[in-house]
């Protein structure tokens, strides 16, 4: 099995989320540079505003890389953990660093829902199990008459 179908759609969702975070990071970095150029007294407060979007970009890019280039259960686990670190956790960081309130219909709730759906798909669907060679994927391949990934 390979990257296609819903697995490809899942990767595209993560790419869209990462591009959004990179866009916000770039905009915020430009604004931060403008503020810092006026007075370096605001260096740390301005730098704090960059932390959530930088973290989101960083972790989402790792998750995408693990799903696209990795072909092991470790890559799948890395992608799931990084999706959680780049999604809902970053929304909480925005609340901490930017003082934004958490609303039920806001960004944290949407990211939480998306991340739960992505996690459930990646952990319990046949295509990711076969593509990344998880234990359930090896059992499934053997039950279909194929060879298990990693067997010699």
């Amino acid at each position: 099995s390979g990257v296609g179908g819903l697995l490809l759609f899942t990767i595209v969702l993560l790419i869209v989320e990462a591009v959004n975070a990179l866009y916000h990071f770039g905009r915020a970095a430009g604004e931060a540079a403008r503020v810092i150029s006026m007075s370096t007294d605001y260096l740390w407060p301005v730098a704090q505003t960059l932390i959530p979007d930088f973290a989101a970009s960083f972790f989402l890019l790792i998750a995408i890389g693990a799903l696209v280039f990795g072909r092991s259960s470790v890559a799948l686990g890395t992608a799931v953990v990084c999706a959680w670190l780049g999604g809902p956790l970053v929304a909480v960081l925005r609340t901490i660093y930017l003082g934004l309130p958490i609303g039920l219909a806001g960004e944290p709730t949407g990211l939480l829902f998306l991340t739960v759906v992505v996690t459930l798909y990646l952990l319990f669907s046949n295509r990711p199990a076969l593509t990344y060679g998880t234990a359930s994927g090896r059992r499934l391949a053997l039950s279909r008459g194929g060879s298990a990934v990693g067997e010699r």
Side-chain angles (χ1 to χ4, degrees):
S1 196
V3 177
L6 283 177
L7 182 56
L8 181 60
F9 182 71
T10 301
I11 292 170
V12 169
L13 278 177
L14 290 173
I15 290 171
V16 167
E17 195 176 338
V19 166
N20 184 41
L22 283 168
Y23 171 75
H24 285 291
F25 177 70
R27 252 181 81 194
E31 192 64 27
R34 186 182 69 76
V35 170
I36 292 170
S37 70
M38 287 190 269
S39 173
T40 57
D41 295 337
Y42 299 108
L43 178 65
W44 178 240
V46 169
Q48 285 180 331
T49 64
L50 300 174
I51 292 171
D53 288 318
F54 175 77
S57 304
F58 179 77
F59 287 118
L60 289 171
L61 290 173
I62 290 174
I64 293 163
L67 289 175
V68 171
F69 301 112
R71 289 294 179 265
S72 68
S73 57
V74 172
L76 184 64
T78 300
V80 169
V81 169
C82 286
W84 278 93
L85 292 174
L89 183 63
V90 167
V92 171
L93 285 178
R94 279 192 187 99
T95 301
I96 293 169
Y97 285 111
L98 305 178
L100 299 176
I102 293 181
L104 187 58
E107 180 190 29
T109 307
L111 285 173
L112 180 65
F113 177 75
L114 177 67
T115 307
V116 166
V117 170
V118 165
T119 300
L120 291 174
Y121 171 72
L122 289 175
L123 294 180
F124 297 110
S125 183
N126 288 343
R127 182 178 293 269
L130 290 168
T131 301
Y132 299 103
T134 64
S136 62
R138 288 190 292 276
R139 283 192 303 275
L140 185 61
L142 290 174
S143 71
R144 292 182 175 179
S147 65
V149 177
E151 276 192 5
R152 296 182 187 198

